[in-house]
């Protein structure tokens, strides 16, 4: 892959601005649909149109809620026990995120608290895996090991599966052209989280299946491009457990 080999460093303001743009992009569509539904209720007395509008509002509200709940853990400071997050919460928000989509989620993980950054990495990889199957399909998520030494394997299966363009360079922190925009901020951020969590992310493709694997960097020593091990930082989390009860 051509492009810059120097790691890109974003200052805090640019990183937060790009992540906010990404979150806003994800919720604009369902919120706009809610507004449209409310306008129909105000202007149209036809019973069938009003029922259509109510269903649109209900579906769009669920979608917006699911996306915000997902973002709260994947990008935010949400946590359920200090610097740890329950994998059951990660599963819940992942399933809700894709509940109305053409992509299905299969999930196999222990019922346990894992370090926050490792769970955040997992959630970001779920979204990246979904972009590997643009026509939909199945994302099989498997988490093995414990919180100190987990192995995350996501298999995205679907028609026309492909490793998303530029995603490997973005995760490595070396985007082509040396810049990153709101479209590429998610894999770039996933790379930041991976390095903070001392995890190495690799991609492979065979036929209509893309496999994303994240393993501790200690297990990747000697592999080309493996990042140096680092200690996962323990940033403050929300004071209360995340409410993942979705509308």
């Amino acid at each position: 892959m051509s492009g810059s080999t120097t790691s890109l460093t974003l200052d805090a303001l640019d990183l937060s601005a790009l992540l906010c743009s990404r979150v806003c992009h994800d919720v604009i569509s369902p919120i706009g649909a809610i507004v449209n539904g409310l306008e129909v209720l105000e202007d149209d007395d036809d019973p069938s149109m009003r029922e259509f509008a109510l269903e649109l509002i209900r579906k769009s509200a669920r979608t917006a809620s699911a996306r915000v709940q997902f973002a709260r853990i994947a990008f935010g400071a949400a946590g359920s026990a200090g610097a740890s997050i329950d994998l059951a919460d990660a599963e819940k928000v992942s399933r809700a995120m894709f509940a109305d989509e053409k992509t299905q989620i299969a999930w196999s993980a222990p019922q346990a608290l894992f370090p926050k950054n490792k769970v955040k990495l997992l959630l970001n990889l779920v979204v990246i895996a979904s972009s590997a199957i643009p026509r939909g399909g199945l994302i099989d998520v498997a988490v093995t090991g414990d919180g100190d030494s987990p192995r995350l394997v996501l298999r995205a299966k679907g028609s026309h599966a492909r490793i998303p363009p530029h995603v490997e360079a973005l995760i490595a922190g070396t985007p082509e052209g040396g810049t990153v925009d709101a479209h590429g901020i998610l894999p770039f951020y996933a790379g930041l989280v991976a390095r903070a969590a001392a995890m190495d992310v690799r991609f492979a493709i065979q036929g209509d299946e893309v496999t994303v694997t994240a393993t501790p960097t200690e297990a990747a020593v000697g592999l080309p491009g493996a990042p140096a091990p680092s200690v996962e930082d323990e940033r403050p989390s929300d004071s209360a457990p995340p409410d993942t009860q979705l509308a």
Side-chain angles (χ1 to χ4, degrees):
M1 180 179 297
S2 62
S4 172
T5 57
T6 303
S7 293
L8 173 66
T9 301
L10 292 179
D11 65 33
L13 287 176
D14 287 340
L15 178 62
S16 59
L18 287 168
L19 285 174
C20 286
S21 293
R22 170 70 195 216
V23 174
C24 290
H25 174 272
D26 287 345
V27 299
I28 280 174
S29 178
I31 290 175
I34 292 171
V35 172
N36 291 339
L38 291 172
E39 289 176 349
V40 171
L41 289 179
E42 290 176 353
D43 300 336
D44 200 318
D45 293 328
D46 183 275
S48 62
M49 287 300 297
R50 293 180 67 83
E51 181 56 35
F52 170 80
L54 286 171
E55 180 56 30
L56 176 64
I57 292 169
R58 283 191 289 265
K59 179 179 178 181
S60 299
R62 286 194 299 267
T63 299
S65 175
R67 292 180 181 181
V68 170
Q69 294 281 10
F70 186 94
R72 183 171 179 249
I73 298 180
F75 309 134
S80 57
S84 299
I85 297 175
D86 195 329
L87 285 176
D89 286 335
E91 177 183 3
K92 185 182 295 185
V93 297
S94 295
R95 290 190 182 280
M97 179 76 166
F98 294 97
D100 295 323
E101 302 290 336
K102 54 191 176 182
T103 299
Q104 303 299 312
I105 298 285
W107 192 280
S108 174
Q111 296 292 313
L113 293 172
F114 267 42
K116 179 169 61 177
N117 280 339
K118 291 182 172 70
V119 179
K120 291 163 79 73
L121 174 61
L122 176 61
L123 292 179
N124 280 273
L125 293 181
V126 168
V127 178
I128 292 169
S130 72
S131 67
I133 44 175
R135 299 193 179 186
L138 173 69
I139 301 174
D140 188 339
V141 180
V143 180
T144 56
D146 57 24
D148 293 329
S149 185
R151 178 180 174 85
L152 317 177
V153 180
L154 298 87
R155 293 183 172 87
K157 310 171 189 178
S159 175
H160 293 77
R162 81 283 191 274
I163 297 174
H166 313 301
V167 71
E168 291 169 291
L170 285 163
I171 286 182
T174 57
E176 186 174 357
T179 61
V180 62
D181 57 16
H183 179 73
I185 191 60
L186 190 146
F188 182 83
Y189 176 74
L192 294 177
V193 176
R195 289 185 285 280
M199 297 287 284
D200 180 49
V201 180
R202 300 299 172 99
F203 291 79
I205 184 169
Q206 184 173 9
D208 281 340
E209 179 175 305
V210 173
T211 301
V212 188
T213 305
T215 54
T217 52
E218 292 80 3
V221 171
L223 295 177
S230 62
V231 177
E232 180 170 358
D233 67 17
E234 296 187 356
R235 296 181 175 86
S237 63
D238 289 352
S239 59
D243 178 12
T244 50
Q245 184 65 38
L246 303 175

